[in-house]
Amino acid sequence: MGQDKVRVRFAPSPTGNLHIGTLRTALFNWLYARHFQGVFVLRLEDTDLKRSQEDYEKNIYDGLNWLGLVPDEGPLVGGEFGPYRQSERIQQGCYMAKAKVLLEQGLAYYCFDTEAELDQERDAAKEKGVPYVYSRRALDLSNAEVQAKLDQGEAYTIRFKTPDSGALSFRDLVRGEISFDLALLSDFVIMKSDGSPSYNFAVVVDDVDMDITHVIRGEDHVSNMPKQLLLYKVLGGQVPEFGHLPMILGPDRAKLSKRHGATAVLAYRDEGIVSDALFNFLSLLGWRPNSEEEILSRAELEAQFALERVSKSNAIFDQQKLKWMNGQYIRRFSPEQLYEALFPFMSDQHQANMQARPDHQRRLIMTAIQDNVAYLSEVDQYLSVFCLSEEAVDVKVQALSFSEQDQQVLLQFYGLVQEMSASADEADFLACLETLVTRLELGKGKIFKPIRLAVTGDGKGPNIAQLLAVLGPSCLKRRLARLSFLDSVPHLAS
Ligand code: GLU
């Protein structure tokens, strides 16, 4: 005990898929550990065996891996404080051993009351309109009576004996001084009748055994603090520092739920959120950097992170901001990085099409669609314009009609394209489009739109000069030649 190294733990219960709020807790622990060159421990609180499932455990690993929050110690990687699954710690008798010490010290006692008896007590308190506090009837049993019941195999729980009065306080690193009145604290169960520890007991035993120095978790755990503080004191460990994080709410200020969009972390991965973007976005949920700049790299976040700038007020989860931030990260990719990020999201057909192209064309396509893509999963809709078959384009274009002005634009464009070399690039097309703007004295939109329509069939799409450069002069000539009206458009006098 008593080491200086920061040791934090992320302690999810694998009773559901990893969700955004839980991941934010993991991230803040991670950032805190990295800031202080400390250790990030993953502990699985799977005491609720009925609800804990292997799939959920895997979901936690997948979500953490995706965000790059790989534990320094945990069930998979191991470590000197293991095992890191509470179910395995139950089997090793970790909790029962500690409970027995408390029994011997007279700080805890066996309780053989049945559920029905306890319900009666609760109902009586309710009728009187007073908060329920366990009557300590179990303490009336003599040692011999307790032993007899144990020998008969009667079911029991073990309760912790709480002080009858007084107050308990601690200084939360986020919320400041918090104190609790102990008079209303009931003697609580530390070991349940099935031999598993209660949440509060297991957490404290583990935090002590694992030398945890800082507990960073959701504000919903503040109410557990009196029980946990009492236990830390008697279990002999150094009481860790605590930082309780604000809750995450939807824009309507209601608790974050499916109504506000996906809450499962991997849904964001599958939708095409960039891991670095989610990392950055989550870091701002309840914490503020020391400047106005919101786009911060992992290294910058690790360097800046401090619990002092964690907010006391609730954080708002804004999907639109996440979308915007994702776009910011996508815009910063090199063409090669963008291709690598987008490739898994492409249809088989688009993957094959892209793989068949020379490097410079792939890069150009990536540059052309870079500003459009908000989610990586949208890639197909932006690639299709480059990959449509001639027949498909023809069907779309033949269904369109072009005004006289459009026809004039297209005729002039056709003329310029015919003069272009086969290796014309983006700069050549930019020059070509500018020539048209000057020559026809029309706004850019009036020039670009009919050209885009005539060569793709779509009115909107990627950057026009890049698009034309990817299609190339010979494809453009072929497509324009199919516009029968071009033969009859009167040529402008030049
Ligand atoms: N297992 C608890 C939860 O998932 C966390 C316990 C803790 O951080 O103390 O909410």
Side-chain angles (χ1 to χ4, degrees):
M1 253 336 280
Q3 54 181 334
D4 294 322
K5 202 174 183 59
V6 163
R7 291 180 53 84
V8 296
R9 84 301 194 278
F10 169 52
S13 305
T15 52
N17 284 333
L18 183 62
H19 64 77
I20 285 291
T22 318
L23 186 63
R24 193 272 313 251
T25 301
L27 175 62
F28 280 28
N29 274 285
W30 163 272
L31 288 172
Y32 196 78
R34 286 296 166 267
H35 183 84
F36 291 103
Q37 283 94 46
V39 177
F40 173 66
V41 177
L42 171 65
R43 179 172 76 225
L44 289 174
E45 306 215 317
D46 58 349
T47 54
D48 191 350
L49 294 175
K50 286 191 289 298
R51 292 174 63 215
S52 300
Q53 287 181 15
E54 270 174 41
D55 285 355
Y56 293 144
E57 185 174 322
K58 181 168 181 310
N59 190 271
I60 291 170
Y61 299 139
D62 289 350
L64 290 178
N65 275 338
W66 177 53
L67 215 68
L69 309 181
V70 182
D72 300 310
E73 293 173 23
L76 293 187
V77 63
E80 57 175 309
F81 298 87
Y84 295 91
R85 275 188 199 91
Q86 288 186 335
S87 55
E88 290 171 38
R89 298 174 65 75
I90 293 176
Q91 276 161 17
Q92 290 199 350
C94 297
Y95 309 107
M96 193 48 111
K98 290 273 166 66
K100 290 239 163 97
V101 173
L102 297 182
L103 285 167
E104 278 157 23
Q105 294 172 331
L107 297 169
Y109 56 90
Y110 288 104
C111 175
F112 299 90
D113 295 337
T114 62
E115 270 313 307
E117 286 165 332
L118 294 170
D119 281 347
Q120 250 175 22
E121 281 194 1
R122 278 189 209 105
D123 291 346
K126 209 170 175 185
E127 255 171 51
K128 281 197 211 143
V130 294
Y132 170 64
V133 177
Y134 174 59
S135 67
R136 291 187 168 161
R137 192 174 35 191
L139 283 174
D140 297 341
L141 298 176
S142 67
N143 287 348
E145 283 170 318
V146 168
Q147 195 52 52
K149 283 178 183 283
L150 291 175
D151 292 345
Q152 280 160 20
E154 225 178 270
Y156 64 83
T157 59
I158 299 175
R159 283 183 189 264
F160 183 71
K161 212 166 154 207
T162 59
D164 297 329
S165 59
L168 204 54
S169 63
F170 77 104
R171 207 184 70 78
D172 190 274
L173 294 172
V174 175
R175 317 190 67 77
E177 197 74 10
I178 303 182
S179 63
F180 304 93
D181 180 2
L182 292 177
L184 295 178
L185 193 61
S186 190
D187 288 354
F188 56 93
V189 171
I190 54 173
M191 292 299 289
K192 302 187 211 170
S193 56
D194 63 2
S196 68
S198 66
Y199 155 70
N200 284 300
F201 190 55
V203 160
V204 177
V205 169
D206 290 348
D207 285 345
V208 169
D209 282 356
M210 295 178 182
D211 271 7
I212 297 302
T213 59
H214 294 77
V215 171
I216 302 169
R217 60 184 172 192
E219 183 189 276
D220 47 335
H221 286 291
V222 169
S223 57
N224 294 317
M225 282 303 288
K227 292 177 183 168
Q228 294 187 9
L229 282 172
L230 290 172
L231 289 171
Y232 280 115
K233 289 192 174 150
V234 298
L235 289 171
Q238 178 187 321
V239 181
E241 303 268 9
F242 293 89
H244 285 94
L245 308 175
M247 303 308 280
I248 303 177
L249 306 180
D252 58 358
R253 312 220 148 238
K255 195 165 175 275
L256 194 63
S257 73
K258 288 222 176 76
R259 226 159 19 93
H260 302 111
T263 55
V265 170
L266 294 183
Y268 287 94
R269 179 193 63 185
D270 299 344
E271 197 178 16
I273 292 289
V274 174
S275 155
D276 285 348
L278 187 64
F279 189 103
N280 190 163
F281 173 79
L282 287 180
S283 75
L284 302 177
L285 284 184
W287 175 80
R288 70 192 149 73
N290 53 20
S291 74
E292 292 294 302
E293 182 55 54
E294 289 202 303
I295 305 287
L296 296 161
S297 68
R298 287 173 190 252
E300 285 167 325
L301 289 166
E302 285 171 21
Q304 278 196 32
F305 190 79
L307 286 175
E308 289 73 44
R309 283 197 309 280
V310 170
S311 155
K312 283 197 196 90
S313 36
N314 294 324
I316 305 293
F317 185 88
D318 180 352
Q319 289 270 2
Q320 288 310 316
K321 182 165 175 185
L322 175 56
K323 183 176 175 183
W324 168 82
M325 194 168 273
N326 203 45
Q328 295 296 310
Y329 275 83
I330 290 176
R331 312 285 171 269
R332 282 161 202 233
F333 280 148
S334 67
E336 288 76 14
Q337 287 170 324
L338 183 60
Y339 182 69
E340 200 185 311
L342 290 174
F343 191 78
F345 290 92
M346 294 177 197
S347 65
D348 293 349
Q349 186 207 343
H350 284 160
Q351 284 183 344
N353 185 301
M354 289 295 129
Q355 278 172 322
R357 289 175 190 263
D359 280 351
H360 76 272
Q361 240 187 47
R362 251 195 321 262
R363 273 200 298 275
L364 193 56
I365 293 177
M366 290 303 118
T367 314
I369 65 173
Q370 189 150 23
D371 286 347
N372 299 99
V373 179
Y375 296 105
L376 301 175
S377 58
E378 295 172 343
V379 60
D380 279 335
Q381 90 190 56
Y382 294 112
L383 281 187
S384 62
V385 69
F386 300 103
C387 306
L388 278 183
S389 69
E390 290 302 312
E391 297 71 41
V393 175
D394 204 31
V395 169
K396 289 165 94 172
V397 175
Q398 295 305 332
L400 300 168
S401 58
F402 293 89
S403 69
E404 268 179 31
Q405 184 179 294
D406 289 348
Q407 295 185 11
Q408 190 55 248
V409 170
L410 291 169
L411 182 71
Q412 296 290 325
F413 178 57
Y414 189 33
L416 291 175
V417 169
Q418 278 170 320
E419 288 162 18
M420 279 179 154
S421 84
S423 60
D425 62 11
E426 183 188 344
D428 297 322
F429 279 101
L430 265 178
C432 158
L433 292 168
E434 279 184 11
T435 305
L436 290 179
V437 170
T438 326
R439 191 189 286 177
L440 294 167
E441 293 177 346
L442 290 172
K444 284 185 178 170
K446 297 216 158 67
I447 304 278
F448 297 176
K449 181 106 182 260
I451 294 177
R452 189 189 286 284
L453 278 169
V455 299
T456 67
D458 287 327
K460 281 204 293 255
N463 175 295
I464 183 83
Q466 290 161 353
L467 168 71
L468 297 175
V470 172
L471 295 176
S474 76
C475 165
L476 293 172
K477 271 185 270 182
R478 205 170 49 239
R479 291 188 183 177
L480 291 165
R482 286 209 206 94
L483 301 171
S484 50
F485 58 77
L486 286 191
D487 297 336
S488 50
V489 180
H491 282 258
L492 279 184
S494 46

